[in-house]
Amino acid sequence: QVDREATAGQAHFHGLLVDVNAPMDLQEFALSMVVDEQHHTALAIDAARALGASGELSFDLCELQVRRQAEPAEELLDLLVGMFVVSEVVALDLLVHTTKVLPDSTFRDVLRKIAKDEVLHARFGHLVLSTLRGDERWLPYPGDDAVVALAKAHTARMRTRAVVSESESELSDDGDFRVELEALGVPPPHGFRAAYVRGLDESVPAALAAAGIDRRIAE
């Protein structure tokens, strides 16, 4: 599955960095992450072609557009926490889990290539937050409580997602289908779901702690 939202979100984040006149090294790294997501999309398309898909993608323009809010600084902080302290951190956990449990295949190799890029993406959020808590002044820092509140809101929304479809779970319950799915790069659903929850419960708080914010985000 190609995550069209990832590339659009990364591009939107870069645009917000430009709006607030963020340091050029951050702007350049944000652009490199856009390129990473485009590369991931290309890898996913190649994998889909190997399974018989046409490899052609078409989306409504509205699906790829992200509307800007009135205050770019507030929106940037929300995106920084939601995308890089929460989503990218959990995404890396899922990739690491998946590559560990799958058998050798070209599909697992694709996931490993993507995971290498995601290591940096998953560190970006807490590294930027730690600078904002220090002497950086390009983006107003609202305080640790506000950042924790954002993290809580984003993790709460992610907990409501159906991480694995019912049809996939049903197929995986059949031993023969499960072997076929794993050969195609699809991990067992129960372990995948557990890795997702563990990422929210453990890895996201660890990312905040790495930025110097040692607070509970789960009630």
Side-chain angles (χ1 to χ4, degrees):
Q1 178 181 359
V2 177
D3 189 356
R4 60 184 178 273
E5 295 180 356
T7 301
Q10 296 281 9
H12 183 59
F13 182 77
H14 171 258
L16 291 171
L17 288 175
V18 174
D19 285 352
V20 301
N21 196 27
M24 283 304 301
D25 57 342
L26 290 182
Q27 294 186 36
E28 290 172 1
F29 187 72
L31 274 178
S32 74
M33 289 191 289
V34 174
V35 174
D36 287 343
E37 296 299 346
Q38 292 173 335
H39 181 228
H40 299 169
T41 298
L43 290 172
I45 292 173
D46 287 343
R49 285 198 181 104
L51 296 174
S54 67
E56 295 181 0
L57 295 176
S58 63
F59 306 112
D60 291 336
L61 182 60
C62 63
E63 294 183 8
L64 299 177
Q65 291 177 325
V66 183
R67 292 184 178 276
R68 300 239 177 152
Q69 298 177 8
E71 296 295 335
E74 293 180 9
E75 186 178 4
L76 180 61
L77 184 69
D78 182 68
L79 198 57
L80 177 67
V81 175
M83 180 183 293
F84 294 103
V85 177
V86 180
S87 295
E88 291 281 9
V89 168
V90 175
L92 177 61
D93 279 2
L94 292 177
L95 283 166
V96 171
H97 164 79
T98 299
T99 56
K100 284 182 177 179
V101 300
L102 289 178
D104 286 334
S105 70
T106 55
F107 298 102
R108 186 175 75 161
D109 292 341
V110 168
L111 294 174
R112 280 179 168 172
K113 290 177 182 177
I114 294 174
K116 288 180 180 179
D117 294 334
E118 293 297 333
V119 171
L120 287 177
H121 296 198
R123 295 186 62 203
F124 181 79
H126 72 75
L127 290 173
V128 174
L129 277 180
S130 65
T131 64
L132 294 177
R133 295 178 77 246
D135 297 328
E136 293 287 345
R137 294 293 181 266
W138 58 270
L139 185 70
Y141 186 70
D144 291 350
D145 289 342
V147 170
V148 171
L150 288 174
K152 284 183 177 181
H154 283 286
T155 54
R157 281 194 289 271
M158 289 184 68
R159 290 181 194 281
T160 66
R161 293 180 179 175
V163 183
V164 180
S165 68
E166 291 184 9
S167 59
E168 185 178 321
S169 295
E170 291 173 359
L171 284 174
S172 185
D173 288 337
D174 184 305
D176 292 335
F177 274 118
R178 183 170 60 250
V179 171
E180 293 296 329
L181 287 171
E182 290 178 9
L184 296 176
V186 180
H190 302 299
F192 188 83
R193 189 181 294 108
Y196 181 84
V197 173
R198 190 163 54 249
L200 293 172
D201 289 343
E202 300 176 8
S203 298
V204 173
L208 288 171
I213 305 171
D214 193 6
R215 309 279 182 85
R216 289 177 57 84
I217 63 168
E219 300 297 339

